[in-house]
Amino acid sequence: MSIDDGTTVANDRLAGREDMIVCVDVDKWYGDFQALKGITATIKEGEVAVVCGPSGSGKSTWIRCINRLEVHQGGNIVVDGIELSNDLRNIEKIRSEVGMVFQQFNLFPHLTVRDNITLAPIWVRKKPRAEAESLATELLEQMGIPEQAEKFPGQLSGGQQQRVAIARSLAMEPRVMLFDEPTSALDPEMIKEVLDVMKELARSGITMMVVTHEMGFAREVADRIIFMEGGEIVEVGTPEHFFTNPTEDRTKLFLSQIL
Amino acid sequence: MPELNPIVVEAGIGETGPPQQGVNLSVRQWLRTNLFSNWFNAILTLLGVFAALLMLRGVLNFTFSENREWDAVRTNLRALMTLSYPESQYVRVWVAVGFVMALAGMSAGIWANWGGVSVKRMSTWLMGSGGLFALCVLLREPSVILDSEGKVLRTVEGSLQRESVWAAMTDRLGWWIAAVVLITLGAAIWAWCSEPDRRNNSVAVTTVVFSGLGLLVLSLWLVPYGHYAFADGTYIAVPGRTVAFSTKMPWTVMWLLLFGLYFVGRSFRDTRWQGIVRGSSNFLWLISPMALFWVVLRDPALDYAHVLSTDLPMGLAFGVLGGVLLWALTRSDLGEAGRLTAVGLLGFAVFNWVAAFFGLYPMLQKARISFLLVALAALLAPNFIGEVAKRRQLILGWLSAMALVHYMATMMNTPSTVDIQSSEFLGGLGLTLFVAVIVVLLSFPLGVLLALGRTSKFPIFRMLSTSYIEIIRGVPLISVLIFFSVMVPLFLPDGMELAELAAVLTGYTLFSAAYLAENVRGGLQSVTKGQYEAADALGLTAAQRTGFIVLPQGLRVSIPQLVGQVISTFKETSLLAIIGLFDFLRVANSVIPAQSEFMGVKREGILLVAMIYFFFNFTISKYSQRLERRVGLGER
Ligand SMILES: Nc1ncnc2c1ncn2[C@@H]1O[C@H](COP(=O)(O)OP(=O)(O)O)[C@@H](O)[C@H]1O
Ligand SMILES: [Mg+2]
């Protein structure tokens, strides 16, 4: 494997922080096909980790294991001190602490933007409705779309929808945010508005794990870049290391194709 | 911002030369673009109009023919509505109708936001109906000439002798006057509101509806519709006076209830009571069919002693003891003991049914059902382990389930006035509506549960629901009904009676639920995987995910099929005739033609029945289109 076992933090900023996500030797099979082969990595509290790699390399599979949308078969995943197991209560707890943003937004089409955002705080966090609604207003303002609260998702542009999806996740006040290619389904002119929101979020100090091919974004805000291929972590490093002198041939090849 | 108009948005999908829907065209332009765009369309249009006129002429000739005996329908109106429901108890029917009226008025008051009808539009209705009157007068063939004894005259060749066309047109002077009055009135209003400042005048829909109904009721007091009745085997026909007091008074009260409660409801609008009033009126709608069923059908001599000594204590006991048990089973330190208890209970419950089958030891059926429910609830209990609030949910759910089940079981066990063998029996439209409403209401939750079961990830639920659905769908409705009316009473243990109507309702509900489940399943499958994942990622529980995300989206997709199912349930109630119940159609088809005064007179009654069926189903269908459009908003 690589020069790095994935647990070293290559950035001073994060020295001494607590571990937020710890994966040890994680294996995942789809039938006979092994999608994750012994993934070992640690994400620190407040870290922004960008995961990249060619299509089919297991990026989505990995981050979906972290909030147990997929079940891993070998190894351990510990999120914020809670081990992921079949215990239903642990799963619910982790899911309310970990927000996820999908490539296809996955907003609830039958609910207004406001209701999309307040549903989980009211029913999972048991917040009073008024409080949840003022939080929603605040978040929409932060996302730059305060005037869309009463609309239905289908009436918004892709970029607006993705920002609503981010607001919906943030409304649960999660400690970790997972992004699975949040800009891949967007028209080019809308990518920037979503990335801007994400950059701001990164600076706010929340732990983020972002699967993306937006290398500009990675260069600007990532603490670490994790490169995967064939279900394995091939190389881990700071953006500087990653873009200027990657060690692995496979990384070089990937970068030459994407940059 | 102007409201998005869904019609405009949808227009043009899959159309090459889109007709400009949603855009105001003048009548001529509209005809041009839609009906006469080329010579082929023009010919089709003309042929279509010709066929429609022929059909209208047929209906008119049939309706106004000298051979029609509309007296058969007039005197039997009550029979068509309630058959031989006992006269002495009739006030109960009115109480039930009145309750529905009051509730409808209340709901309209607190909810309705129907907007207005433009006055101009109403004037076109008036002119249109006037024109239709005139058209009908022109189309109908000349009447047959009657001699002084009221017999038809025939020509030498034997064909009917008719008056001349001119005589026919002058004979129908009253209709002409009506047509002219309507057209003039409409035209006058049209002219009046053509002034620019009156162009947008409109009248609230509620005003139109209430005053329309009010005029109808008022006409009962003023217009000599004639007094026709068929009571205690005697035939009453007194033309030239208003309808009987026992008809016009109740309807007046009904209208007052509707209108009065509308204002009560409206006075709660935008007050702090609004939420409560809305909630309780919805709740009342939900329970009213059951409650009214009770009001209309129960025997006047109800055995209250039995209710007090057995039914009530038993319901309470199951509620309280079951609640205590469930509370204990949701303790977090219980571990495997909880599951063992639940499985033990399930075994006991199943054994009860097996024992009943072999007649081993007697027990009220209600107790067997309740034990089974306790066991099922105990199996569910582990999902509710946790905070007090969560445990309380389970207990509340349990208590309401018990209340509902015991109420229903008690109701079914009660001897009813509608003993089918007796002459005092509810039938007609009353029976048809009761059966349809109750079957739809009860089969809906059952069908949704079955659909959820069939799409569940637990194999046991999937297997049970699938086999239930497939078995029921493999059997014709009629055999299910026969099975329940004839066979089920044989299987029931001693001491348990099931009124025939209750048995039939059960069978029909179980049948309808299987079809409903398939319709709902289609909708559920259209909900994408991403929706489940988004709900899971937010930490919603499986129940919340189903209730807030999956069902609303799935049901919305299935609205057209569900409405189709409601309509066919309503129509297929006429199969009840085969197992001996006297539904609406059967009254027209066999009861009236058997009366000595109207021997063999069928067509009139059946035409009326068909019209009433059509009225109900058309209304449902229209309403569903509105509903679809309204909930479709979020889809785009
Ligand atoms: N549900 C599934 N069933 C079977 N194979 C799957 C499934 N999901 C993903 N895979 C396979 O696992 C591998 C990794 O997929 P994924 O994590 O989606 O890749 P990435 O997100 O990096 O493009 C791919 O080869 C893909 O075909
Ligand atoms: Mg992917």
Side-chain angles (χ1 to χ4, degrees), chain A residues 203-220:
Chain A
R203 290 186 201 107
S204 77
I206 193 172
T207 312
M208 283 169 64
M209 209 172 145
V210 185
V211 175
T212 187
H213 292 149
E214 295 294 331
M215 287 303 141
F217 173 81
R219 207 188 292 260
E220 195 176 332

Side-chain angles (χ1 to χ4, degrees), chain A residues 54-61 64 103 180-181 211:
Chain A
S55 169
S57 56
K59 309 179 295 291
S60 300
T61 306
R64 289 156 59 84
Q103 184 176 354
D180 189 358
E181 306 206 24
V211 175

Side-chain angles (χ1 to χ4, degrees), chain B residues 117-127 186-187 189-196 198-203:
Chain B
V117 202
S118 82
V119 176
K120 202 154 190 171
R121 182 114 176 254
M122 284 197 288
S123 74
T124 58
W125 291 347
L126 285 177
M127 288 190 281
I189 297 178
W190 175 278
W192 179 78
C193 61
S194 292
E195 304 275 325
R198 300 196 188 115
R199 196 158 284 163
N200 295 321
N201 278 9
S202 68
V203 184

Side-chain angles (χ1 to χ4, degrees), chain A residues 20-21 63-69 77-80 82 84 90-102 125 168-170 172-179 206-207 209, chain B residues 533-539:
Chain A
M20 184 55 95
I21 302 171
I63 78 165
R64 289 156 59 84
C65 280
I66 290 167
N67 65 352
R68 214 170 176 80
L69 288 181
I77 300 178
V78 179
V79 180
D80 200 15
I82 305 167
L84 278 179
N90 280 353
I91 296 173
E92 277 172 20
K93 198 154 177 192
I94 283 173
R95 282 179 177 164
S96 63
E97 304 238 323
V98 178
M100 180 147 190
V101 175
F102 301 87
R125 285 258 187 265
R168 178 176 71 176
S169 292
L170 289 178
M172 287 294 284
E173 294 163 340
R175 306 199 58 196
V176 180
M177 284 288 283
L178 307 175
F179 292 83
I206 193 172
T207 312
M209 209 172 145
Chain B
E533 289 179 349
D536 285 343
L538 286 169

Side-chain angles (χ1 to χ4, degrees), chain A residues 97-154:
Chain A
E97 304 238 323
V98 178
M100 180 147 190
V101 175
F102 301 87
Q103 184 176 354
Q104 302 295 343
F105 329 137
N106 292 354
L107 290 176
F108 305 130
H110 62 300
L111 299 178
T112 60
V113 165
R114 187 195 300 289
D115 292 340
N116 263 280
I117 298 175
T118 56
L119 182 74
I122 291 174
W123 290 94
V124 181
R125 285 258 187 265
K126 313 284 184 206
K127 271 202 176 151
R129 178 172 289 275
E131 203 176 302
E133 290 194 344
S134 69
L135 176 63
T137 312
E138 207 173 290
L139 283 168
L140 285 175
E141 214 139 285
Q142 192 183 328
M143 297 294 129
I145 38 173
E147 69 289 351
Q148 313 287 1
E150 304 307 329
K151 289 199 184 158
F152 286 93

